[in-house]
């Protein structure tokens, strides 16, 4: 199945089974804003718990906070967001549609890659076993021509972005003959900068309202609380502060479902270190974070690092962890060595000393920072994309199964009476009443057992327990495993232990230390 179709199916699956709904749907929705349904919220909470515990529970030197969404507006001046948190926009005069100039160029570059891959696929089919891909890529004239074009555009593009050269961005669009996907014309306006922050007024106009922003990242809430946490928690460097919370960006090109949203959630951790030791810690957090992703079991090949060649002026190292989504490898998490930029800038703008006295060195300094920053919603999409599976069974039937990591599954156990009579529902309810304190359980008595299994497969429930007449006699049930569909007869008294071992996050956490 084409990856585009897989993605479409995934999006409708999310809606059909109560994971994600378009926001304000009865009013025709609100662009790039989504609501999480009854299954989605459980999965999302489990993802957040996996992240939070991996930071705050497993590391003695990482603590959490929950800072407010509204912050003093000068914070966004100090952080650089007021002046530089912009997207370059361009309008097509015929369709009146607005685009991000950088995205138009990136899409153009991706199309060249597609063309190269098509040439390679064609040649591979033609030459079969004798095909040497490396040699073909290095020598085929058409491939070389595409690559030269790509490199040329890429270099111009990188320079234009680095120099904030909006005219050059437009010129690249013109030179590459990029057309508007709606009107098909090249009738473009100038490129303009557009700030991504949402603003609102705090206080009544009579009192002199203050313009405040909805935070575009949670990180600044951590920086401005550095001294509070360090002093009240008697934290010694190196230490980290973690936070999960909402962030808001007025994204212009909002697409690909929950990949790019206007209201989303971030899980960020700022790790404060001695100046000069930051690159060592950068490497450590890079390793730790990719292990966290890989522990979920979607396959190591699904991940890759994208090290930034061009760094932001305040960073001395940066990388993205990318996951292979149905629409290609995409950033899920960023890891940045941010030097002392943020704390120093807040010192300057607030006029308050933000330093740490290092008892071992006997001196004060502004700590350096390693940031790990991951979007909850992007992680949610990663988990759904990595788990969604359509299978053809031996009897020719198909089943859609979410092979969710067991610890993240919204429902851990479904309990099903074989029939709705003879005391089987009561026995099933008794099992739930015993297990519901430990696991999210679901009772289901409607339709055939086969249909009930399919419903649970579709939401990724790892265990289904069936209560039958034998259960009334000997207190045993059958337990069916989602992935293998194997069934075994077990004592009701053993259910808690069987399930607890498998659904615990402990096995995931243990892999992080390896
Ligand atoms: N404090 C650093 C920071 O915010 P970022 O690369 O802009 O860095 C970090 O964002 C992460 O937040 C991204 O890797 C992505 O997972 C998530 N993210 C950013 N913008 C998003 C959006 N519009 N919708 C969903 N997730 C987003």
């Amino acid at each position: 199945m084409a990856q585009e179709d897989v993605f479409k199916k995934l999006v409708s699956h999310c809606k059909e089974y109560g994971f994600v709904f378009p926001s304000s749907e009865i009013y025709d929705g609100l662009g790039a804003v989504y609501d999480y349904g009854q299954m989605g919220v459980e999965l999302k909470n489990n993802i957040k718990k996996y992240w939070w515990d991996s930071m705050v529970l497993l590391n003695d030197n990482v603590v959490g906070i929950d800072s407010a969404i509204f912050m003093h507006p000068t914070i966004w001046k100090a952080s650089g967001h007021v002046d530089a948190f912009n997207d370059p926009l361009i309008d097509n005069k015929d369709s009146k549609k607005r685009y991000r100039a950088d995205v138009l160029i990136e899409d153009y570059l991706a199309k060249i890659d597609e063309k190269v891959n098509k040439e390679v696929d064609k040649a591979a089919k033609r030459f079969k076993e004798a095909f040497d891909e490396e040699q073909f890529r290095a020598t085929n004239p058409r491939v070389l021509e595409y690559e030269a074009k790509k490199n040329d555009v890429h270099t111009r593009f990188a320079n234009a972005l680095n120099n904030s050269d909006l005219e050059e961005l437009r010129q690249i669009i013109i030179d590459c003959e990029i057309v508007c996907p709606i009107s098909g014309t090249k009738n473009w306006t100038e490129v303009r900068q557009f700030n991504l922050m949402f603003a609102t007024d705090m206080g009544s106009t009579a009192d002199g309202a203050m313009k405040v922003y909805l935070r575009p990242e949670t990180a600044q809430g951590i920086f401005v609380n550095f001294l509070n946490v360090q002093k009240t928690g008697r934290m010694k460097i190196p230490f980290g502060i973690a936070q999960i919370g909402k962030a808001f960006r007025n994204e212009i090109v909002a697409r690909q479902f929950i990949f790019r949203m206007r209201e989303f959630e971030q899980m960020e951790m700022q790790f404060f270190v001695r100046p000069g030791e930051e690159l060592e810690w950068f490497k450590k957090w890079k390793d730790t974070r990719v292990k966290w992703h890989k522990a979920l079991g979607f396959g190591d090949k699904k991940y890759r690092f994208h090290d930034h060649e061009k760094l932001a002026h305040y960073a001395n190292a940066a990388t993205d962890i990318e996951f292979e989504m149905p629409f290609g490898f995409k950033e899920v998490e960023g890891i940045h060595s941010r030097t002392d930029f943020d704390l120093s800038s807040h010192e300057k703008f607030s006029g308050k000393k933000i330093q740490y006295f290092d008892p071992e060195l006997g001196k004060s300094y502004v700590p350096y920072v390693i940031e790990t920053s991951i979007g909850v919603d992007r992680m949610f999409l990663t988990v759904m994309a990595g788990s969604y599976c359509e299978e053809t069974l031996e009897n020719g039937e198909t089943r859609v199964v979410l092979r969710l990591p067991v610890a993240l599954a919204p429902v851990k156990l479904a309990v099903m009476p074989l029939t709705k009579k003879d005391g089987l529902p009561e026995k099933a309810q008794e099992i739930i009443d015993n297990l519901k304190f430990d696991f999210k359980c679901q009772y289901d008595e409607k339709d055939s057992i086969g249909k009930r299994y399919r419903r649970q497969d579709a939401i990724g429930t790892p265990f289904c327990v069936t209560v039958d007449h034998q259960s009334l006699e000997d207190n045993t049930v059958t337990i069916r495993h989602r992935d293998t569909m194997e069934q075994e007869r077990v004592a009701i008294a053993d259910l808690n232990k069987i399930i607890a071992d498998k659904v615990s996050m402990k096995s995931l956490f243990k892999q992080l230390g390896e």
Side-chain angles (χ1 to χ4, degrees), residues 148-412:
K149 175 83 187 152
K150 192 179 93 178
N151 289 340
D152 174 47
V153 174
H154 189 269
T155 310
R156 283 180 66 189
F157 178 47
N159 287 338
L161 284 184
N162 276 344
N163 303 328
S164 299
D165 186 344
L166 303 183
E167 268 176 38
E168 171 67 352
L169 280 180
R170 181 171 190 273
Q171 199 53 49
I172 296 172
I173 290 171
I174 304 287
D175 292 348
C176 293
E177 304 192 341
I178 296 174
V179 296
C180 165
I182 307 288
S183 68
T185 71
K186 294 176 247 170
N187 198 5
W188 296 111
T189 61
E190 299 305 304
V191 177
R192 285 163 298 117
Q193 292 287 27
F194 175 83
N195 193 283
L196 295 184
M197 282 197 294
F198 285 103
T200 187
D201 295 323
M202 184 175 269
S204 74
T205 328
D207 292 337
M210 176 160 65
K211 183 176 176 183
V212 289
Y213 298 99
L214 296 189
R215 64 180 177 198
E217 61 171 20
T218 59
Q220 298 304 322
I222 296 178
F223 291 126
V224 298
N225 277 296
F226 167 77
L227 282 183
N228 285 337
V229 174
Q230 191 273 315
K231 292 212 164 103
T232 57
R234 288 173 289 115
M235 306 302 292
K236 287 199 173 60
I237 273 183
F239 75 91
I241 305 178
Q243 161 152 250
I244 300 179
K246 289 272 185 166
F248 305 83
R249 296 182 189 179
N250 197 1
E251 300 281 1
I252 295 308
V253 181
R255 55 179 184 185
Q256 287 154 337
F257 190 39
I258 54 173
F259 182 78
R260 199 176 297 285
M261 302 158 87
R262 295 199 168 104
E263 173 180 340
F264 58 101
E265 219 169 343
Q266 287 185 316
M267 307 188 277
E268 298 200 293
M269 195 275 306
Q270 312 294 327
F271 197 73
F272 301 94
V273 303
R274 276 184 190 159
E277 294 184 359
E278 70 277 9
L279 293 180
E280 220 174 284
W281 283 108
F282 174 75
K283 190 178 167 320
K284 185 187 171 295
W285 279 109
K286 205 173 144 175
D287 291 348
T288 306
R289 292 304 304 148
V290 82
K291 271 189 195 161
W292 182 89
H293 286 274
K294 288 182 177 173
L296 293 174
F298 297 128
D300 291 1
K301 281 194 181 146
K302 289 265 177 193
Y303 302 90
R304 71 180 188 195
F305 283 115
H306 169 228
D307 294 329
H308 295 204
E309 293 156 36
K310 303 281 175 202
L311 296 169
H313 61 281
Y314 53 78
N316 62 4
T319 195
D320 297 333
I321 296 176
E322 295 185 339
F323 180 78
E324 191 177 17
M325 302 276 187
F327 42 88
F329 273 96
K330 294 285 167 195
E331 172 193 341
V332 180
E333 171 157 5
I335 301 160
H336 312 119
S337 172
R338 302 181 64 111
T339 66
D340 60 351
F341 170 80
D342 300 272
L343 292 183
S344 294
S345 190
H346 286 304
E347 260 199 333
K348 199 168 97 202
F349 277 81
S350 68
K352 310 266 171 14
K353 193 169 164 196
I354 309 182
Q355 298 201 355
Y356 170 78
F357 177 75
D358 192 324
E360 280 174 35
L361 299 182
K363 66 173 187 180
S364 295
Y365 53 79
V366 179
Y368 272 43
V369 172
I370 305 303
E371 167 183 78
T372 71
S373 175
I374 170 170
V376 179
D377 313 86
R378 257 185 220 183
M379 188 58 206
F380 187 100
L381 187 56
T382 299
V383 170
M384 290 300 281
S387 305
Y388 184 85
C389 199
E390 283 183 19
E391 286 178 356
T392 306
L393 306 178
E394 275 170 15
N395 62 7
E397 277 180 27
T398 53
R399 74 160 181 160
V400 173
V401 55
L402 277 188
R403 293 178 178 275
L404 291 171
V406 173
L408 301 186
V411 176
K412 305 295 190 226

Side-chain angles (χ1 to χ4, degrees), residues 108-144:
Y108 173 82
L109 290 169
K111 273 191 197 130
I112 300 185
D113 272 339
E114 270 171 37
K115 283 181 187 164
V116 170
N117 290 339
K118 262 193 196 148
E119 294 292 334
V120 172
D121 287 350
K122 252 195 316 189
K125 271 191 199 132
R126 192 160 7 111
F127 297 115
K128 301 209 168 73
E129 266 98 72
F131 183 59
D132 180 341
E133 182 175 333
E134 206 175 313
Q135 196 199 1
F136 180 80
R137 283 182 183 270
T139 54
N140 180 271
R142 200 169 300 167
V143 169
L144 292 177

Side-chain angles (χ1 to χ4, degrees), residues 98-116:
R98 181 163 290 177
Y99 299 93
R100 265 175 62 177
D102 55 336
V103 171
L104 286 178
I105 300 170
E106 274 166 11
D107 287 352
Y108 173 82
L109 290 169
K111 273 191 197 130
I112 300 185
D113 272 339
E114 270 171 37
K115 283 181 187 164
V116 170

